[in-house]
Amino acid sequence: MGPETLESLQKQAIAEVLEAYPEKAKKNRAKHLGTDNPEGVKGSCDTTRSNKQTVPGVMSQRGCAYAGSKGVVWGPIKDMIHISHGPIGCGQYSRGGRRNYYIGTTGIDTFVTMNFSTDFNEKDIVFGGDKKLKKALEEIDELFPLNNGISIQSECPIGLIGDDIQAVAKVHKKETGHQTVAVSCEGFRGVSQSLGHHIANDMIRDHVMPDTSHRKDFESTPYDVAIIGDYNIGGDAWSTRLILEEMGLRVIAQWSGDATYKELAIAPKAKLNLLHCYRSMNYISRHMEQEFGIPWMEYNFFGPTKTTESLRKIASFFDEKIQEQTEKVIAKYTAMTDAVIAKFRPMLEGKKVMLYVGGLRPRHVIGAYEDLGMEVIGTGYEFGHGDDYKRTKEDLGRSTLIYDDANEYELEEFVKKLRPDLVAAGVKEKYVFQKMGLPFRQMHSWDYSGPYHGYDAFAIFAKDMDLAMNSPVWNHTKAPWDKEVEGA
Amino acid sequence: MQDLDNIVNGQKLFLKPEYQEVLKNKKEFEGSMGAINPAKVEEIQKWTESWDYREKNLAREAITVNPAKACQPLGAVMVALGFENTMPYVHGSHGCVAYFRTYFTRHFKEPTPCVSDSMSESAAVFGGLANMKDGLRNCNALYKPEMIAVSTTCMAEVIGDDLGAFIIGAKDEAEGELDNVLIPNAHTPSFVGSHITGYDNMMKSILEQVSTEKTTVDEERINIIPGFEPYLGSLKEIKKISKMFGDKIVMIGDHEEQWDTGAGEYKLYAGGTKIEDLKGSINAKATISLQKYSSIATAKTIKNKWKQTYETCNPIGLSGTDAFVMKLAELTGKEIPEELKQQRARLVDAMQDSYPYMHGKKIAIWGDPDFLLGMVSFLVEMGAIPTHVVCHNAPRKNWEAEMRAILDKSNRSDECNIWPGKDLWALRSLLFTEPVDFMIGNVYGKELYRDTKTPLIRIGFPIFDRHHLHRYSMSGYEGGINLLTWITNGILDQLDEETKDIAETDYFFDSVR
Ligand code: SF4
Ligand code: SF4
């Protein structure tokens, strides 16, 4: 398929998809859908509308601000307790689903996979929940004495009933001397989880960054870096850390997968902030730059091409010693990743992929697929902003369908029309496409595998993609008595 | 580094020495007690196992830790998916809906259709009418449902949106597009009750709002309301049993097929109670609810408004199924079919084959109120001792007394404790201070297993970490055999585990049990 036909097919798909909508919604959605090319003129990456209200009445794949704050940014900080403040549901549905790996004794000195809820009842809604919250904080300190702080994650009702959780947190902090942070991340704020990231970052800025207790006696080295925006899904940050340490750097903080409160507090001691998920933590990186003069740099650890590129970029911030060491690291691992490519590429070459994820992945994982000879023909963000789309352009390999805040109807139609060989998105979509006989990988949770960051991780990624694409199970869909030509 | 011939994922990758080194190095920067002072962790760990901790833990009033319940709209979504061509529509934020869909999808390993009207800040200020107007129209245009079942999130409830009026308003402005769609609606405030309350509210609303034309009573027609039933096999078996008593015994809210479609093509809607059958519910001779406490409000509609015979049965285990079968026989005036008699005999035979393993075993169990009534009844029938019965969403009225009456059938009733309103962190203390042999419960028992080493037999909802269990039945006589199989083999697996040490315990590692 030449680039022209691919692009016209994509354009045609958009036109057809829009037909089903009533006029108002159609006009709205048209602005979120488009195509773009790696070279030349401005395309969808420059112009797409994003970070806007979701059209009502569709199956959006978006989450809420609470999900962005509690689920993404705060929740993985392992030695703090994060209260889901409000009714029982939000905390229960988001319990233990994200695979933010950590080491610790759960329930004693670490708490990530647990669910703490103030379990609002009608009385709390009517009369306010501040008293209950205060009591909850006290009970937590009594029963979980090794917690290194508490965060209060507001669910929808809190902001609507006029509770003053900031005041409650302040009092508790004063009384106990323990870090207590109230985060007003009610789910109705903003249009997606994205605002939740921002609000969460702001609270780190206001409450954690000013806390100098841990950095007072911290002894810095010229090679100190912090990993920002890695949630250690399936251990991603650990496989990242390994490489950085082999380069001769010292990772002093890991935000926020497997993070401890102390690591957040000492991050301003880093010489360079390494930002993986730009979307969720660019705010705090900018703040640290302004406030503490720490430069930050985006990097991409998916697939050897991008990893190597990133390593060289990181090394360029440091002296020759680091740069030399980095080349050694690259040489050492490239031998392995070349072998991985030699092994898996023949089985995956030319296979078409459609992505739909959040954060950094809609662009960052493209390189990893292309390293395996796979071709990404569609990608989009659940909650991206204009700057995400702009950054996507350079990762494109060919004409690519771009969809912002795509809903299930659109994804289904796009897939039917463009016929990719693999769909990589979230759990809500997984079984829809598998039923259509399409191999699918969850790209939020790494489908219970991973890590996918770094060189060792690329071998896992390659193996997983091969597993998905080449499993014999996809051949069984058609019954032997079924004579029709498939796809006719 | 990865070995090309044996590429391993995180499970084994991080055990390699270079990664162990990385994890060790990281501790230098960590502030958690495990990194600073592991002895202290051990000390607190020990303390959490004590009676002292238990007392403080059970006295908690404000913080819930590791709950065993969910919120109302989840149940409402399940009800909606039990009707033909019906789209669950949640008036509120899409964040909640993303959670409901994910939760069900992880349990069933199936897609879960459900839309929301994406209310946000402006809706918080001005109300969600505009969202409803656009939302219903878009939903109708894209998904072409016959019925849209509207429930609410806590946000919509707090701002006080009036669903009935909103829907009328939306229909008025839809240029006729919504004229042929049924749009029943229910308020499902998540700060009241739990997911079973939401089930109840939505079921009641659909029945009241759609089944409105009372004509003459159809003497052969019986409605069966399954309740919040995560076991699709149970729905299938109940329908099979019902069929033996007549063709007009109809399950109302039958979500079996929706979460069990085959490979080959994706269908948005699958199966479900036919809208015609739903409409006729009011004219049935009787309605049987299989989950009394998931249909308290629904019962009132049926009894008081419809003036229909309303019965509750709980066909889990032997006596529960007996009662259900006899109720069907009574209502239909039919003999109990030979096939069922044989099924019963087979279950009893199996119980008599396996009883030594369950007998006298102490069991901790948690789950929804009706699930527990059925399961505990079965455990007692087998001679097991339900030592801790934890019901986080226990109804305030009657439930505890009903559970006590079941436990009193055991000759070790005094060893059995009921814990209404308690969460799973409370259960952790109970397990440390008054240990049991086995736990029966959902995926959240996994951490209790890790912490207390009490083996977990997975029966309940949700179960995310084992596959296909929900496809089986746990109701009826055949479901009874499944329960017996799962529990007995769980016990035998544990027996092998405990007797597998070479030259130590393996004299008891028998090939025949
Ligand atoms: S916001 Fe309310 S309705 Fe939504 S998940 Fe949370 S508790 Fe349930
Ligand atoms: S939208 Fe509100 S109620 Fe729903 S999950 Fe998010 S915080 Fe909870």
Side-chain angles (χ1 to χ4, degrees):
Chain A
M1 200 185 291
E4 271 181 54
T5 55
L6 179 58
E7 188 175 338
S8 53
L9 196 69
Q10 288 165 340
K11 292 226 152 87
Q12 192 192 326
I14 293 173
E16 284 173 24
V17 157
L18 287 170
E19 274 321 303
Y21 284 103
E23 214 42 50
K24 186 172 165 195
K26 180 177 177 180
K27 251 168 90 189
N28 180 323
R29 287 307 300 158
K31 298 183 190 139
H32 295 261
L33 306 173
T35 64
D36 207 342
N37 266 298
E39 64 278 317
V41 288
K42 286 199 172 187
S44 193
C45 288
D46 300 285
T47 56
T48 193
R49 221 166 100 107
S50 60
N51 196 30
K52 290 279 184 280
Q53 208 64 255
T54 297
V55 164
V58 303
M59 265 184 259
S60 166
Q61 314 292 25
R62 278 179 164 175
C64 62
Y66 160 89
S69 178
K70 186 264 186 180
V72 175
V73 176
W74 282 96
I77 304 169
K78 66 180 174 179
D79 58 345
M80 291 182 77
I81 284 173
H82 311 285
I83 301 177
S84 294
H85 184 43
I88 198 74
C90 328
Q92 191 68 334
Y93 306 128
S94 58
R95 181 177 178 193
R98 279 197 93 234
R99 305 185 73 233
N100 306 108
Y101 281 5
Y102 65 100
I103 304 281
T105 308
T106 305
I108 309 299
D109 74 336
T110 47
F111 312 93
V112 181
T113 53
M114 296 172 67
N115 174 8
F116 294 80
S117 169
T118 40
D119 189 7
F120 265 34
N121 55 37
E122 203 153 18
K123 215 176 73 220
D124 303 315
I125 295 287
V126 177
F127 299 108
D130 285 345
K131 275 211 191 93
K132 190 176 204 178
L133 177 60
K134 179 74 178 78
K135 183 112 216 277
L137 294 167
E138 287 160 8
E139 288 176 354
I140 285 175
D141 280 342
E142 180 178 32
L143 290 166
F144 305 94
L146 300 187
N147 82 72
N148 281 335
I150 302 175
S151 84
I152 299 150
Q153 306 286 329
S154 303
E155 301 172 1
C156 279
I158 304 307
L160 300 170
I161 59 176
D163 275 11
D164 189 355
I165 56 169
Q166 302 293 343
V168 178
K170 212 165 152 193
V171 169
H172 187 75
K173 188 175 173 182
K174 215 168 144 208
E175 281 174 13
T176 61
H178 258 82
Q179 186 60 275
T180 315
V181 185
V183 188
S184 297
C185 54
E186 287 85 351
F188 64 82
R189 295 192 194 279
V191 300
S192 68
Q193 45 273 67
S194 181
L195 189 65
H197 304 141
H198 199 153
I199 295 169
N201 276 234
D202 287 352
M203 290 299 105
I204 294 176
R205 179 194 67 199
D206 295 346
H207 294 271
V208 185
M209 293 292 93
D211 176 1
T212 55
S213 58
H214 290 289
R215 28 184 211 269
K216 268 199 321 264
D217 308 315
F218 186 81
E219 282 178 37
S220 302
T221 76
Y223 304 118
D224 289 357
V225 297
I227 298 175
I228 309 286
D230 190 322
Y231 300 101
N232 207 32
I233 310 251
D236 283 338
W238 294 335
S239 53
T240 298
R241 212 176 165 102
L242 175 85
I243 305 174
L244 298 175
E245 288 182 359
E246 285 185 54
M247 284 165 68
L249 302 175
R250 195 170 84 138
V251 182
I252 65 166
Q254 199 176 295
W255 285 29
S256 59
D258 193 37
T260 58
Y261 176 78
K262 183 179 158 192
E263 289 166 78
L264 269 79
I266 59 176
K269 285 282 184 180
K271 297 293 181 297
L272 175 66
N273 275 331
L274 296 171
L275 177 58
H276 206 237
C277 180
Y278 171 85
R279 180 72 276 129
S280 60
M281 283 201 182
N282 76 84
Y283 319 100
I284 197 72
S285 305
R286 291 176 202 278
H287 170 74
M288 281 194 266
E289 184 175 41
Q290 271 178 9
E291 182 75 17
F292 308 103
I294 307 168
W296 54 278
M297 187 207 117
E298 290 173 65
Y299 69 104
N300 178 352
F301 267 19
F302 289 101
T305 304
K306 291 290 169 189
T307 306
T308 299
E309 232 178 80
S310 297
L311 289 190
R312 293 203 168 112
K313 214 167 105 194
I314 296 168
S316 70
F317 276 82
F318 297 93
D319 56 25
E320 271 172 27
K321 195 184 96 193
I322 297 287
Q323 287 163 17
E324 270 167 33
Q325 186 56 29
T326 300
E327 288 308 319
K328 283 191 201 142
V329 172
I330 292 170
K332 169 179 151 191
Y333 283 105
T334 303
M336 183 267 289
T337 54
D338 280 351
V340 168
I341 291 171
K343 178 170 176 174
F344 290 101
R345 189 165 173 137
M347 275 108 72
L348 299 170
E349 186 90 54
K351 301 283 188 204
K352 303 211 166 15
V353 185
M354 279 176 69
L355 297 169
Y356 185 60
V357 240
L360 72 168
R361 293 168 181 179
R363 61 176 177 276
H364 271 196
V365 300
I366 293 177
Y369 282 108
E370 304 274 340
D371 280 340
L372 290 169
M374 300 173 81
E375 302 174 357
V376 174
I377 57 165
T379 193
Y381 295 78
E382 285 177 25
F383 49 85
H385 298 203
D387 49 4
D388 291 303
Y389 285 97
K390 289 218 172 66
R391 282 167 164 75
T392 308
K393 183 108 170 174
E394 57 191 80
D395 286 302
L396 300 183
R398 61 195 47 71
S399 178
T400 308
L401 188 59
I402 307 283
Y403 26 82
D404 176 70
D405 184 20
N407 54 61
E408 193 150 300
Y409 155 76
E410 290 173 0
L411 288 177
E412 203 189 314
E413 292 302 311
F414 285 145
V415 165
K416 278 187 192 153
K417 295 190 163 90
L418 297 182
R419 301 183 166 278
D421 302 291
L422 175 79
V423 182
V427 70
K428 298 191 287 301
E429 301 90 280
K430 174 169 174 149
Y431 302 99
V432 170
F433 296 115
Q434 290 198 166
K435 284 198 192 292
M436 293 160 70
L438 273 169
F440 185 98
R441 287 298 292 184
Q442 288 183 64
M443 290 301 275
H444 298 265
S445 65
W446 304 151
D447 231 319
Y448 323 121
S449 175
Y452 282 175
H453 291 178
Y455 292 117
D456 279 341
F458 174 68
I460 303 168
F461 176 78
K463 188 181 170 191
D464 287 349
M465 293 313 135
D466 176 53
L467 164 104
M469 294 297 311
N470 296 314
S471 162
V473 297
W474 307 116
N475 304 331
H476 310 324
T477 307
K478 214 178 85 185
W481 54 84
D482 205 348
K483 295 247 167 51
E484 289 157 58
V485 189
E486 208 177 307
Chain B
M1 193 157 35
Q2 291 280 13
D3 163 9
L4 200 63
D5 296 321
N6 184 23
I7 295 171
V8 290
N9 68 16
Q11 186 206 348
K12 295 202 172 125
L13 182 70
F14 298 128
L15 298 177
K16 293 187 187 241
E18 67 269 30
Y19 283 96
Q20 286 295 307
E21 186 70 22
V22 163
L23 294 176
K24 207 178 91 216
N25 291 344
K26 183 173 184 292
K27 289 216 165 33
E28 183 191 335
F29 307 101
E30 293 191 337
S32 53
M33 196 51 79
I36 299 168
N37 182 0
K40 185 78 189 168
V41 172
E42 218 167 289
E43 179 198 322
I44 298 296
Q45 162 86 47
K46 276 268 144 339
W47 173 57
T48 66
E49 297 172 13
S50 70
W51 278 90
D52 175 51
Y53 189 88
R54 165 176 165 153
E55 271 158 35
K56 295 187 164 76
N57 188 8
L58 292 183
R60 261 186 293 128
E61 284 171 2
I63 192 74
T64 294
V65 186
N66 297 348
K69 61 176 181 179
C71 70
Q72 283 214 38
L74 188 81
V77 170
M78 178 181 274
V79 174
L81 290 174
F83 293 95
E84 191 186 36
N85 298 324
T86 298
M87 180 59 82
Y89 179 114
V90 182
H91 180 55
S93 327
H94 51 231
C96 312
V97 171
Y99 280 149
F100 309 147
R101 292 175 60 208
T102 301
Y103 210 61
F104 278 133
T105 292
R106 285 183 173 147
H107 177 81
F108 291 116
K109 319 273 184 236
E110 293 281 321
T112 303
C114 177
V115 305
S116 93
D117 52 17
S118 294
M119 281 165 68
S120 67
E121 263 138 334
S122 57
V125 180
F126 302 111
L129 177 59
N131 299 67
M132 183 77 91
K133 283 180 182 168
D134 287 345
L136 286 174
R137 253 177 117 165
N138 289 338
C139 170
N140 184 55
L142 290 187
Y143 307 112
K144 305 189 172 50
E146 253 181 273
M147 179 157 90
I148 301 174
V150 181
S151 56
T152 51
T153 72
C154 43
M155 177 199 183
E157 289 301 319
V158 171
I159 63 179
D161 280 357
D162 180 349
L163 286 184
F166 281 17
I167 291 168
I168 292 172
K171 278 193 165 178
D172 280 350
E173 275 181 40
E175 300 168 49
E177 284 172 25
L178 297 174
D179 290 355
N180 297 318
V181 201
L182 295 160
I183 315 183
N185 63 88
H187 290 276
T188 49
S190 54
F191 42 84
V192 176
S194 69
H195 55 289
I196 60 170
T197 323
Y199 182 95
D200 193 8
N201 285 336
M202 184 48 95
M203 182 57 82
K204 170 193 150 89
S205 295
I206 289 183
L207 290 178
E208 271 187 4
Q209 296 168 30
V210 181
S211 186
T212 47
E213 278 177 50
K214 184 139 187 147
T215 51
T216 48
V217 173
D218 181 343
E219 287 298 331
E220 283 170 49
R221 169 79 189 258
I222 295 169
N223 305 318
I224 294 190
I225 297 175
F228 191 96
E229 178 53 78
Y231 283 82
L232 303 179
S234 288
L235 298 177
K236 194 177 280 193
E237 182 162 354
I238 294 300
K239 285 184 280 183
K240 235 166 69 190
I241 294 173
S242 307
K243 189 119 189 109
M244 295 182 204
F245 287 93
D247 291 332
K248 286 187 165 177
I249 305 178
V250 183
M251 188 170 277
I252 304 295
D254 171 11
H255 51 262
E256 183 211 329
E257 276 180 63
Q258 181 66 43
W259 276 306
D260 192 15
T261 62
E265 83 180 296
Y266 170 62
K267 282 184 289 187
L268 185 59
Y269 309 110
T273 306
K274 299 216 172 338
I275 303 290
E276 266 326 295
D277 286 342
L278 161 63
K279 286 185 172 159
S281 307
I282 192 171
N283 297 316
K285 171 185 175 175
T287 295
I288 306 175
S289 168
L290 305 184
Q291 289 186 2
K292 182 173 166 185
Y293 293 98
S294 305
S295 48
I296 293 169
T298 305
K300 287 191 186 132
T301 293
I302 294 167
K303 280 191 285 196
N304 304 343
K305 292 204 177 138
W306 289 3
K307 311 264 185 260
Q308 208 180 79
T309 304
Y310 176 81
E311 305 280 355
T312 60
C313 292
N314 191 337
I316 300 176
L318 185 67
S319 59
T321 305
D322 286 346
F324 174 58
V325 166
M326 287 189 295
K327 184 55 73 186
L328 285 176
E330 178 198 318
L331 288 171
T332 57
K334 291 200 178 128
E335 280 291 306
I336 292 173
E338 199 50 40
E339 193 182 338
L340 274 178
K341 289 181 181 167
Q342 274 174 23
Q343 281 184 13
R344 184 187 195 277
R346 272 190 226 114
L347 172 60
V348 173
D349 180 69
M351 290 164 78
Q352 290 166 349
D353 293 343
S354 308
Y355 77 93
Y357 295 100
M358 274 174 80
H359 189 92
K361 290 287 185 303
K362 292 187 173 186
I363 303 215
I365 183 168
W366 66 93
D368 287 342
D370 296 288
F371 166 84
L372 286 173
L373 290 170
M375 283 298 298
V376 167
S377 166
F378 180 65
L379 293 176
V380 169
E381 282 160 6
M382 287 304 297
I385 308 163
T387 309
H388 301 301
V389 180
V390 176
C391 188
H392 198 180
N393 52 350
R396 252 172 259 131
K397 279 194 230 153
N398 305 336
W399 179 82
E400 200 176 340
E402 208 173 317
M403 180 57 84
R404 186 38 75 188
I406 292 171
L407 291 170
D408 282 344
K409 291 184 192 151
S410 162
N411 51 15
R412 298 183 54 181
S413 165
D414 51 343
E415 295 172 47
C416 302
N417 306 289
I418 308 171
W419 302 97
K422 292 296 175 204
D423 56 34
L424 298 180
W425 190 257
L427 177 58
R428 185 177 183 273
S429 278
L430 300 175
L431 292 170
F432 275 123
T433 48
E434 295 176 88
V436 298
D437 300 306
F438 292 91
M439 300 186 285
I440 294 178
N442 59 14
V443 64
Y444 302 119
K446 192 165 192 162
E447 297 200 341
L448 292 169
Y449 163 63
R450 177 195 57 198
D451 292 356
T452 69
K453 311 286 179 276
T454 316
L456 169 66
I457 295 164
R458 284 170 178 74
I459 307 175
F461 172 86
I463 293 174
F464 298 144
D465 67 335
R466 292 293 185 274
H467 285 215
H468 304 306
L469 291 172
H470 68 269
R471 294 176 189 271
Y472 292 85
S473 173
M474 56 170 287
S475 303
Y477 298 122
E478 299 196 318
I481 291 184
N482 289 334
L483 289 176
L484 184 69
T485 307
W486 294 332
I487 301 171
T488 305
N489 289 338
I491 292 170
L492 291 174
D493 283 345
Q494 179 62 16
L495 189 51
D496 284 351
E497 202 44 45
E498 288 170 12
T499 57
K500 73 176 195 305
D501 296 331
I502 297 170
E504 284 193 31
T505 58
D506 68 345
Y507 56 87
F508 213 85
F509 194 66
D510 281 322
S511 297
V512 186
R513 307 266 202 208

